Amino acid sequence: MTFPASKQAIFASLRWRRRWLLLALLCCCLGNAHAARSLCQAPPWPQWEAFKTSFISQDGRVIDRSTPQQQTVSEGQAYALFFALVANDRPAFARILKWTEDNLAGGDLTARLPAWHWGKKDNGSWGVLDANPASDADLWLVYALGEAGRLWQERRYVALSSLLANRTLAEETANLPGLGLTLLPAPHGFHLGQSVWRLNPSYLPMQLFDWLGSRSSDARWRALAASSLRVLLESAPRGYAPDWILYEAGKGFRIDHDGEGNGKGGYNAIRVYLWVGMLPPESAARTRLLTAFAPMSDFVARHGYPPEQIDIHTGRANGPGPSGFSAALLPFLSVQNNTAALNTQIDRIITRPPRADAYYEQALMLFALGWRDGHYRFAKDGSLQPSWKITCNHA
C-alpha cells in the first residue's frame, strides 16, 4: 500500500464521501426511491483496494509476505472479513471466508474453530503449522459474520456466527478465581499451573463484547465483558498495556518474567489503544479506558513517536515503534484531543510510511484510517455502522 504524500491526500477519501452523500440527497429530493436505492454502494475506499492487491490472493488468503513461511494467521483472515464488510465487498468476503474454512478449519467451520497459523512447512509443503485457535481472531470472525448476516440479510452468516460464538465460549474461556469467566488466548497452552493463567489484553476489544452481550441472552458474554474490562485496567497500572500478563489466583496480575513479553508492551499491546480509540462515545467503558491509558498519549506528545516496546511499570522505552504504530494511535489521540501529538503522527506516517510488505502494520493502518475517514463507526451496542449502510438508510 502506498501512503498519500500529504496530509490532504491522507484524507482524500472524505471528498468522495461528501460527493456520495450529495448524490444520495439529490435522489431523495427528486423523490425517486428506486434511483436512491441504486446508489447504495460503498464509497470508494482506495486503501482497502490496495490492501487486497498487496496481501490477499485470488482465492482469499491473506499473506504475510514479510515472513519466510509466507504465513497466514487466522487474525488476518478475520480482519480481512471485517474490512470487506466495511467496504460492502461481498465477493471478497465470500472468498476470504471460503479459504478460511477450507484451510484453517478442515473444510467445516461448524465443527471446529480455525487454526491460527498456516504456511510453508520445512518439507516444502503447505498447510497448518499450528492447529491451536486464537481467540482474538475467533471473536473478530464471530463479529464479522454476525454483522455481515445482519447488514446483508444473510441468515447463513448469522447461523455460522452463532455456532462459532458458542464454541468460543466452550473452548476459549475459563473461570479464574477472583476474576470470573475470562477469555483465554487459545484453548491450549495458557493455563500454566493450578492457579496461574497467561492473558493478552489486546485480544479484548470492548465493542465486540458489547455487541455479543446485546445479541445474545447468554449471560456469559456479559461476564466476559466485565472480566475483560478488569484485565485491561488492572494489567496496566501505569497506563501502558502489556503484550502479555499473568493472572494468579489470590494475587492478581503480575509480569510474566519467563514468557513472551516480560513486562513490556509492544506489537500486541498497540492494538489496545486502537480498540479503545474507536469506542463510541456512549460506551460504558470508554471514559475509564481513555483515562487509564492517557499516559500513552502523554508519552507520544513528549517524544513524537509511540514506543516499539515500553516497560509497563517504569515507562522506559527502547526507541520508536514502526509507522504502523503511529497509525494505530490516530483514533486514540483524536478522541484524547491531543492535537499536537496527532499531527506529529500524521507527519511521521507521511515521512516514513509502513513497508509495503508489512502486513500487520498495513492492517493497523486500514483499521485506523478507515475509522478516521468515516468508513465505519461502532454503535453503543457494538454494532457496525458502515458508511454505505448509513447512505442507504438516508436514501
Side-chain angles (χ1 to χ4, degrees), residues 291-353:
T291 300
F293 290 112
M296 177 54 76
S297 176
D298 297 337
F299 180 100
V300 176
R302 292 195 308 272
H303 294 85
Y305 57 78
E308 182 181 40
Q309 281 193 332
I310 189 166
D311 187 298
I312 67 169
H313 285 295
T314 68
R316 288 195 295 270
N318 70 340
S323 297
F325 283 26
S326 293
L329 286 174
L330 295 181
F332 180 73
L333 295 172
S334 178
V335 299
Q336 291 276 21
N337 296 317
N338 196 333
T339 305
L342 177 67
N343 289 334
T344 299
Q345 296 320 292
I346 292 172
D347 287 338
R348 186 168 185 256
I349 296 166
I350 294 169
T351 305
R352 297 177 61 88

Short mmCIF file of all heavy atoms in Angstrom, two decimals, residues 291-353:
data_model
loop_
_atom_site.label_atom_id
_atom_site.label_comp_id
_atom_site.label_asym_id
_atom_site.label_seq_id
_atom_site.Cartn_x
_atom_site.Cartn_y
_atom_site.Cartn_z
N THR A 291 -9.10 7.42 30.26
CA THR A 291 -8.37 7.99 31.40
C THR A 291 -7.21 7.08 31.82
O THR A 291 -6.10 7.55 32.08
CB THR A 291 -9.34 8.18 32.59
OG1 THR A 291 -10.39 9.06 32.20
CG2 THR A 291 -8.61 8.75 33.79
N ALA A 292 -7.47 5.78 31.84
CA ALA A 292 -6.44 4.84 32.28
C ALA A 292 -5.24 4.84 31.36
O ALA A 292 -4.09 4.71 31.83
CB ALA A 292 -7.04 3.43 32.37
N PHE A 293 -5.46 4.98 30.05
CA PHE A 293 -4.36 4.88 29.09
C PHE A 293 -3.84 6.24 28.63
O PHE A 293 -3.03 6.30 27.70
CB PHE A 293 -4.78 4.03 27.89
CG PHE A 293 -4.96 2.58 28.24
CD1 PHE A 293 -6.22 1.99 28.22
CD2 PHE A 293 -3.88 1.81 28.60
CE1 PHE A 293 -6.39 0.65 28.54
CE2 PHE A 293 -4.04 0.47 28.94
CZ PHE A 293 -5.29 -0.11 28.91
N ALA A 294 -4.27 7.31 29.30
CA ALA A 294 -3.79 8.64 28.94
C ALA A 294 -2.26 8.76 28.98
O ALA A 294 -1.69 9.53 28.20
CB ALA A 294 -4.43 9.69 29.84
N PRO A 295 -1.54 8.03 29.85
CA PRO A 295 -0.08 8.13 29.83
C PRO A 295 0.55 7.81 28.47
O PRO A 295 1.60 8.37 28.14
CB PRO A 295 0.35 7.13 30.90
CG PRO A 295 -0.76 7.16 31.89
CD PRO A 295 -2.00 7.27 31.05
N MET A 296 -0.06 6.93 27.68
CA MET A 296 0.50 6.67 26.35
C MET A 296 0.34 7.89 25.46
O MET A 296 1.25 8.23 24.68
CB MET A 296 -0.18 5.45 25.71
CG MET A 296 0.29 5.15 24.29
SD MET A 296 2.09 4.97 24.12
CE MET A 296 2.33 3.33 24.82
N SER A 297 -0.79 8.57 25.56
CA SER A 297 -0.97 9.81 24.82
C SER A 297 0.08 10.84 25.22
O SER A 297 0.68 11.52 24.37
CB SER A 297 -2.39 10.36 25.07
OG SER A 297 -2.57 11.60 24.44
N ASP A 298 0.35 10.93 26.52
CA ASP A 298 1.37 11.87 27.02
C ASP A 298 2.76 11.49 26.53
O ASP A 298 3.57 12.36 26.17
CB ASP A 298 1.35 11.91 28.55
CG ASP A 298 0.04 12.43 29.11
OD1 ASP A 298 -0.68 13.15 28.39
OD2 ASP A 298 -0.28 12.10 30.27
N PHE A 299 3.05 10.18 26.50
CA PHE A 299 4.36 9.73 26.03
C PHE A 299 4.57 10.16 24.57
O PHE A 299 5.65 10.68 24.21
CB PHE A 299 4.46 8.21 26.13
CG PHE A 299 5.78 7.64 25.67
CD1 PHE A 299 6.76 7.30 26.59
CD2 PHE A 299 6.06 7.46 24.32
CE1 PHE A 299 7.99 6.79 26.17
CE2 PHE A 299 7.28 6.96 23.88
CZ PHE A 299 8.24 6.62 24.82
N VAL A 300 3.56 9.94 23.74
CA VAL A 300 3.68 10.30 22.32
C VAL A 300 3.84 11.80 22.16
O VAL A 300 4.62 12.27 21.32
CB VAL A 300 2.46 9.78 21.54
CG1 VAL A 300 2.51 10.23 20.09
CG2 VAL A 300 2.39 8.26 21.60
N ALA A 301 3.14 12.57 22.97
CA ALA A 301 3.26 14.02 22.90
C ALA A 301 4.68 14.48 23.26
O ALA A 301 5.22 15.40 22.63
CB ALA A 301 2.24 14.68 23.82
N ARG A 302 5.27 13.83 24.25
CA ARG A 302 6.63 14.22 24.69
C ARG A 302 7.70 13.79 23.70
O ARG A 302 8.66 14.52 23.45
CB ARG A 302 6.94 13.62 26.06
CG ARG A 302 6.15 14.18 27.22
CD ARG A 302 6.79 13.79 28.55
NE ARG A 302 7.05 12.36 28.65
CZ ARG A 302 6.17 11.47 29.11
NH1 ARG A 302 4.96 11.87 29.48
NH2 ARG A 302 6.49 10.19 29.20
N HIS A 303 7.58 12.60 23.15
CA HIS A 303 8.67 12.03 22.36
C HIS A 303 8.46 12.16 20.85
O HIS A 303 9.42 12.02 20.09
CB HIS A 303 8.85 10.55 22.71
CG HIS A 303 9.32 10.32 24.11
ND1 HIS A 303 8.46 10.24 25.19
CD2 HIS A 303 10.58 10.15 24.62
CE1 HIS A 303 9.15 10.03 26.29
NE2 HIS A 303 10.44 9.96 25.98
N GLY A 304 7.24 12.34 20.42
CA GLY A 304 6.98 12.47 18.99
C GLY A 304 6.76 11.16 18.28
O GLY A 304 6.62 11.13 17.06
N TYR A 305 6.73 10.06 19.03
CA TYR A 305 6.53 8.74 18.43
C TYR A 305 6.00 7.78 19.50
O TYR A 305 6.23 7.99 20.70
CB TYR A 305 7.83 8.19 17.86
CG TYR A 305 8.96 8.09 18.87
CD1 TYR A 305 9.02 7.05 19.81
CD2 TYR A 305 9.97 9.04 18.91
CE1 TYR A 305 10.04 6.95 20.74
CE2 TYR A 305 11.00 8.96 19.84
CZ TYR A 305 11.03 7.92 20.75
OH TYR A 305 12.03 7.84 21.68
N PRO A 306 5.31 6.71 19.09
CA PRO A 306 4.97 5.65 20.03
C PRO A 306 6.17 4.73 20.21
O PRO A 306 6.95 4.52 19.28
CB PRO A 306 3.81 4.93 19.36
CG PRO A 306 4.04 5.16 17.91
CD PRO A 306 4.72 6.49 17.77
N PRO A 307 6.34 4.15 21.39
CA PRO A 307 7.49 3.28 21.61
C PRO A 307 7.30 1.92 20.94
O PRO A 307 6.18 1.42 20.84
CB PRO A 307 7.53 3.13 23.12
CG PRO A 307 6.10 3.28 23.54
CD PRO A 307 5.52 4.29 22.61
N GLU A 308 8.41 1.33 20.50
CA GLU A 308 8.32 -0.03 19.98
C GLU A 308 8.01 -0.99 21.13
O GLU A 308 7.18 -1.90 20.98
CB GLU A 308 9.62 -0.43 19.30
CG GLU A 308 9.57 -1.83 18.71
CD GLU A 308 10.86 -2.24 18.05
OE1 GLU A 308 11.93 -1.91 18.60
OE2 GLU A 308 10.80 -2.88 16.98
N GLN A 309 8.66 -0.80 22.24
CA GLN A 309 8.38 -1.53 23.47
C GLN A 309 8.51 -0.58 24.65
O GLN A 309 9.38 0.29 24.66
CB GLN A 309 9.34 -2.70 23.67
CG GLN A 309 9.02 -3.94 22.86
CD GLN A 309 9.83 -5.13 23.35
OE1 GLN A 309 10.92 -4.99 23.89
NE2 GLN A 309 9.28 -6.32 23.18
N ILE A 310 7.65 -0.77 25.64
CA ILE A 310 7.72 0.08 26.83
C ILE A 310 7.51 -0.79 28.05
O ILE A 310 6.68 -1.71 28.06
CB ILE A 310 6.67 1.21 26.76
CG1 ILE A 310 6.90 2.22 27.89
CG2 ILE A 310 5.25 0.66 26.77
CD1 ILE A 310 6.14 3.52 27.68
N ASP A 311 8.31 -0.54 29.08
CA ASP A 311 8.17 -1.24 30.34
C ASP A 311 6.89 -0.74 31.03
O ASP A 311 6.74 0.46 31.26
CB ASP A 311 9.39 -0.97 31.23
CG ASP A 311 9.39 -1.80 32.49
OD1 ASP A 311 8.45 -1.64 33.30
OD2 ASP A 311 10.32 -2.60 32.68
N ILE A 312 5.97 -1.65 31.34
CA ILE A 312 4.67 -1.21 31.83
C ILE A 312 4.72 -0.64 33.24
O ILE A 312 3.77 0.02 33.67
CB ILE A 312 3.64 -2.36 31.76
CG1 ILE A 312 3.97 -3.48 32.75
CG2 ILE A 312 3.52 -2.89 30.35
CD1 ILE A 312 2.86 -4.49 32.92
N HIS A 313 5.81 -0.84 33.96
CA HIS A 313 5.93 -0.29 35.32
C HIS A 313 6.79 0.96 35.38
O HIS A 313 6.47 1.90 36.11
CB HIS A 313 6.48 -1.36 36.28
CG HIS A 313 5.48 -2.40 36.65
ND1 HIS A 313 4.35 -2.12 37.37
CD2 HIS A 313 5.43 -3.74 36.38
CE1 HIS A 313 3.64 -3.23 37.54
NE2 HIS A 313 4.27 -4.22 36.96
N THR A 314 7.87 0.99 34.61
CA THR A 314 8.78 2.14 34.69
C THR A 314 8.52 3.18 33.61
O THR A 314 8.95 4.32 33.74
CB THR A 314 10.24 1.67 34.57
OG1 THR A 314 10.47 1.16 33.24
CG2 THR A 314 10.54 0.59 35.60
N GLY A 315 7.90 2.79 32.51
CA GLY A 315 7.69 3.71 31.41
C GLY A 315 8.91 3.90 30.53
O GLY A 315 8.91 4.74 29.62
N ARG A 316 9.96 3.11 30.78
CA ARG A 316 11.16 3.19 29.94
C ARG A 316 10.90 2.49 28.61
O ARG A 316 10.38 1.36 28.58
CB ARG A 316 12.37 2.59 30.63
CG ARG A 316 12.90 3.43 31.77
CD ARG A 316 14.30 2.97 32.18
NE ARG A 316 14.28 1.61 32.71
CZ ARG A 316 14.11 1.32 34.00
NH1 ARG A 316 13.96 2.28 34.88
NH2 ARG A 316 14.11 0.06 34.40
N ALA A 317 11.30 3.14 27.52
CA ALA A 317 11.05 2.61 26.19
C ALA A 317 12.37 2.33 25.49
O ALA A 317 13.41 2.90 25.84
CB ALA A 317 10.23 3.60 25.36
N ASN A 318 12.32 1.45 24.49
CA ASN A 318 13.55 1.08 23.79
C ASN A 318 13.73 1.83 22.48
O ASN A 318 14.66 1.55 21.73
CB ASN A 318 13.56 -0.43 23.51
CG ASN A 318 12.55 -0.83 22.45
OD1 ASN A 318 11.60 -0.10 22.19
ND2 ASN A 318 12.74 -2.00 21.85
N GLY A 319 12.87 2.77 22.16
CA GLY A 319 13.01 3.54 20.93
C GLY A 319 11.71 3.59 20.15
O GLY A 319 10.68 3.04 20.58
N PRO A 320 11.72 4.24 18.98
CA PRO A 320 10.49 4.45 18.22
C PRO A 320 9.93 3.14 17.66
O PRO A 320 10.67 2.28 17.20
CB PRO A 320 10.92 5.38 17.08
CG PRO A 320 12.23 5.96 17.51
CD PRO A 320 12.87 4.93 18.37
N GLY A 321 8.62 3.02 17.71
CA GLY A 321 7.94 1.93 17.04
C GLY A 321 7.80 2.22 15.56
O GLY A 321 8.05 3.35 15.11
N PRO A 322 7.39 1.24 14.77
CA PRO A 322 7.20 1.46 13.34
C PRO A 322 6.04 2.41 13.06
O PRO A 322 5.23 2.70 13.95
CB PRO A 322 6.92 0.06 12.80
CG PRO A 322 6.36 -0.68 13.98
CD PRO A 322 7.06 -0.13 15.18
N SER A 323 5.95 2.87 11.83
CA SER A 323 4.92 3.84 11.47
C SER A 323 3.51 3.28 11.61
O SER A 323 2.56 4.04 11.82
CB SER A 323 5.15 4.34 10.04
OG SER A 323 6.38 5.02 9.94
N GLY A 324 3.38 1.96 11.50
CA GLY A 324 2.07 1.36 11.71
C GLY A 324 1.56 1.61 13.11
O GLY A 324 0.35 1.70 13.34
N PHE A 325 2.47 1.72 14.09
CA PHE A 325 2.07 2.06 15.46
C PHE A 325 1.49 3.48 15.50
O PHE A 325 0.52 3.75 16.20
CB PHE A 325 3.27 1.98 16.40
CG PHE A 325 3.67 0.59 16.82
CD1 PHE A 325 3.40 -0.50 16.02
CD2 PHE A 325 4.33 0.38 18.02
CE1 PHE A 325 3.77 -1.78 16.40
CE2 PHE A 325 4.70 -0.89 18.42
CZ PHE A 325 4.43 -1.98 17.60
N SER A 326 2.13 4.39 14.75
CA SER A 326 1.60 5.76 14.69
C SER A 326 0.19 5.77 14.12
O SER A 326 -0.69 6.48 14.61
CB SER A 326 2.52 6.64 13.84
OG SER A 326 3.78 6.82 14.46
N ALA A 327 -0.02 4.96 13.10
CA ALA A 327 -1.36 4.88 12.50
C ALA A 327 -2.36 4.33 13.50
O ALA A 327 -3.48 4.86 13.64
CB ALA A 327 -1.32 4.00 11.25
N ALA A 328 -1.98 3.28 14.24
CA ALA A 328 -2.89 2.67 15.20
C ALA A 328 -3.33 3.65 16.27
O ALA A 328 -4.43 3.52 16.82
CB ALA A 328 -2.22 1.45 15.85
N LEU A 329 -2.50 4.65 16.56
CA LEU A 329 -2.82 5.60 17.62
C LEU A 329 -3.65 6.78 17.15
O LEU A 329 -4.10 7.59 17.98
CB LEU A 329 -1.52 6.12 18.25
CG LEU A 329 -0.79 5.13 19.17
CD1 LEU A 329 0.54 5.72 19.62
CD2 LEU A 329 -1.64 4.80 20.39
N LEU A 330 -3.91 6.91 15.86
CA LEU A 330 -4.65 8.07 15.38
C LEU A 330 -6.03 8.21 16.01
O LEU A 330 -6.39 9.30 16.48
CB LEU A 330 -4.75 8.05 13.85
CG LEU A 330 -3.44 8.19 13.08
CD1 LEU A 330 -3.70 8.17 11.57
CD2 LEU A 330 -2.70 9.46 13.48
N PRO A 331 -6.87 7.15 16.06
CA PRO A 331 -8.16 7.32 16.73
C PRO A 331 -8.01 7.68 18.20
O PRO A 331 -8.73 8.54 18.73
CB PRO A 331 -8.83 5.95 16.55
CG PRO A 331 -8.18 5.37 15.35
CD PRO A 331 -6.76 5.83 15.42
N PHE A 332 -7.07 7.03 18.89
CA PHE A 332 -6.85 7.25 20.32
C PHE A 332 -6.45 8.70 20.58
O PHE A 332 -7.01 9.37 21.47
CB PHE A 332 -5.77 6.28 20.79
CG PHE A 332 -5.42 6.37 22.25
CD1 PHE A 332 -6.29 5.91 23.22
CD2 PHE A 332 -4.20 6.91 22.65
CE1 PHE A 332 -5.96 5.98 24.57
CE2 PHE A 332 -3.87 6.98 23.99
CZ PHE A 332 -4.75 6.51 24.95
N LEU A 333 -5.49 9.22 19.82
CA LEU A 333 -5.04 10.60 20.01
C LEU A 333 -6.13 11.58 19.62
O LEU A 333 -6.26 12.66 20.22
CB LEU A 333 -3.78 10.85 19.19
CG LEU A 333 -2.54 10.04 19.60
CD1 LEU A 333 -1.43 10.24 18.59
CD2 LEU A 333 -2.08 10.43 21.00
N SER A 334 -6.93 11.22 18.63
CA SER A 334 -8.00 12.10 18.19
C SER A 334 -9.05 12.28 19.28
O SER A 334 -9.44 13.41 19.59
CB SER A 334 -8.65 11.52 16.92
OG SER A 334 -9.73 12.34 16.49
N VAL A 335 -9.50 11.18 19.87
CA VAL A 335 -10.54 11.30 20.90
C VAL A 335 -9.96 11.82 22.21
O VAL A 335 -10.71 12.32 23.07
CB VAL A 335 -11.29 9.97 21.11
CG1 VAL A 335 -11.97 9.54 19.83
CG2 VAL A 335 -10.36 8.87 21.62
N GLN A 336 -8.64 11.73 22.40
CA GLN A 336 -8.00 12.33 23.56
C GLN A 336 -7.81 13.83 23.38
O GLN A 336 -7.31 14.52 24.27
CB GLN A 336 -6.63 11.68 23.82
CG GLN A 336 -6.68 10.25 24.30
CD GLN A 336 -6.87 10.14 25.80
OE1 GLN A 336 -7.32 11.07 26.44
NE2 GLN A 336 -6.51 8.99 26.37
N ASN A 337 -8.16 14.33 22.18
CA ASN A 337 -7.98 15.75 21.84
C ASN A 337 -6.54 16.20 21.95
O ASN A 337 -6.26 17.36 22.29
CB ASN A 337 -8.89 16.63 22.72
CG ASN A 337 -10.36 16.38 22.48
OD1 ASN A 337 -10.79 16.25 21.33
ND2 ASN A 337 -11.13 16.27 23.54
N ASN A 338 -5.63 15.27 21.66
CA ASN A 338 -4.20 15.59 21.70
C ASN A 338 -3.77 15.98 20.28
O ASN A 338 -3.13 15.21 19.57
CB ASN A 338 -3.42 14.38 22.21
CG ASN A 338 -2.02 14.75 22.65
OD1 ASN A 338 -1.44 15.71 22.16
ND2 ASN A 338 -1.47 13.97 23.57
N THR A 339 -4.15 17.19 19.89
CA THR A 339 -3.98 17.62 18.50
C THR A 339 -2.53 17.67 18.07
O THR A 339 -2.19 17.25 16.96
CB THR A 339 -4.63 19.01 18.30
OG1 THR A 339 -5.99 18.95 18.72
CG2 THR A 339 -4.57 19.42 16.83
N ALA A 340 -1.66 18.16 18.92
CA ALA A 340 -0.25 18.26 18.56
C ALA A 340 0.34 16.89 18.30
O ALA A 340 1.03 16.67 17.28
CB ALA A 340 0.52 18.99 19.65
N ALA A 341 0.08 15.94 19.21
CA ALA A 341 0.60 14.58 19.02
C ALA A 341 -0.02 13.92 17.79
O ALA A 341 0.66 13.20 17.05
CB ALA A 341 0.32 13.74 20.27
N LEU A 342 -1.30 14.18 17.56
CA LEU A 342 -1.98 13.62 16.39
C LEU A 342 -1.31 14.10 15.10
O LEU A 342 -0.99 13.30 14.21
CB LEU A 342 -3.45 14.03 16.41
CG LEU A 342 -4.30 13.60 15.23
CD1 LEU A 342 -4.46 12.09 15.19
CD2 LEU A 342 -5.67 14.28 15.29
N ASN A 343 -1.07 15.40 14.99
CA ASN A 343 -0.46 15.95 13.77
C ASN A 343 0.96 15.44 13.59
O ASN A 343 1.42 15.19 12.47
CB ASN A 343 -0.48 17.47 13.81
CG ASN A 343 -1.88 18.03 13.63
OD1 ASN A 343 -2.74 17.39 13.02
ND2 ASN A 343 -2.13 19.22 14.17
N THR A 344 1.68 15.27 14.70
CA THR A 344 3.04 14.74 14.62
C THR A 344 3.03 13.33 14.07
O THR A 344 3.89 12.96 13.25
CB THR A 344 3.70 14.76 16.01
OG1 THR A 344 3.76 16.10 16.49
CG2 THR A 344 5.10 14.18 15.95
N GLN A 345 2.06 12.51 14.48
CA GLN A 345 2.00 11.14 13.99
C GLN A 345 1.60 11.10 12.51
O GLN A 345 2.09 10.25 11.75
CB GLN A 345 1.02 10.31 14.83
CG GLN A 345 1.43 10.16 16.28
CD GLN A 345 2.92 9.93 16.44
OE1 GLN A 345 3.44 8.89 16.05
NE2 GLN A 345 3.62 10.90 17.03
N ILE A 346 0.74 11.99 12.09
CA ILE A 346 0.39 12.08 10.67
C ILE A 346 1.63 12.42 9.86
O ILE A 346 1.92 11.80 8.82
CB ILE A 346 -0.73 13.11 10.45
CG1 ILE A 346 -2.04 12.61 11.07
CG2 ILE A 346 -0.92 13.37 8.95
CD1 ILE A 346 -3.15 13.64 11.07
N ASP A 347 2.40 13.40 10.33
CA ASP A 347 3.64 13.77 9.63
C ASP A 347 4.61 12.60 9.61
O ASP A 347 5.30 12.37 8.61
CB ASP A 347 4.30 14.97 10.33
CG ASP A 347 3.55 16.27 10.09
OD1 ASP A 347 2.80 16.34 9.09
OD2 ASP A 347 3.69 17.20 10.90
N ARG A 348 4.66 11.85 10.71
CA ARG A 348 5.59 10.71 10.77
C ARG A 348 5.19 9.64 9.75
O ARG A 348 6.06 9.04 9.10
CB ARG A 348 5.58 10.13 12.19
CG ARG A 348 6.60 9.03 12.41
CD ARG A 348 6.74 8.70 13.89
NE ARG A 348 7.81 7.73 14.08
CZ ARG A 348 7.62 6.44 14.33
NH1 ARG A 348 6.39 5.94 14.43
NH2 ARG A 348 8.66 5.63 14.48
N ILE A 349 3.90 9.39 9.61
CA ILE A 349 3.43 8.38 8.65
C ILE A 349 3.75 8.82 7.23
O ILE A 349 4.16 8.02 6.38
CB ILE A 349 1.92 8.15 8.83
CG1 ILE A 349 1.63 7.55 10.20
CG2 ILE A 349 1.39 7.23 7.74
CD1 ILE A 349 0.17 7.61 10.59
N ILE A 350 3.58 10.11 6.95
CA ILE A 350 3.88 10.63 5.62
C ILE A 350 5.37 10.48 5.32
O ILE A 350 5.77 10.08 4.22
CB ILE A 350 3.46 12.11 5.52
CG1 ILE A 350 1.94 12.24 5.61
CG2 ILE A 350 3.96 12.73 4.21
CD1 ILE A 350 1.46 13.66 5.79
N THR A 351 6.19 10.80 6.31
CA THR A 351 7.64 10.78 6.12
C THR A 351 8.18 9.35 6.04
O THR A 351 9.07 9.06 5.23
CB THR A 351 8.34 11.53 7.27
OG1 THR A 351 7.80 12.85 7.36
CG2 THR A 351 9.84 11.61 7.03
N ARG A 352 7.65 8.47 6.88
CA ARG A 352 8.12 7.09 6.94
C ARG A 352 6.92 6.14 6.84
O ARG A 352 6.50 5.56 7.85
CB ARG A 352 8.88 6.83 8.24
CG ARG A 352 10.14 7.65 8.42
CD ARG A 352 10.77 7.38 9.78
NE ARG A 352 11.15 5.99 9.93
CZ ARG A 352 12.33 5.49 9.56
NH1 ARG A 352 13.24 6.28 9.02
NH2 ARG A 352 12.60 4.22 9.74
N PRO A 353 6.36 6.00 5.65
CA PRO A 353 5.20 5.11 5.52
C PRO A 353 5.58 3.67 5.80
O PRO A 353 6.73 3.27 5.62
CB PRO A 353 4.77 5.28 4.05
CG PRO A 353 5.98 5.81 3.36
CD PRO A 353 6.73 6.62 4.37
#
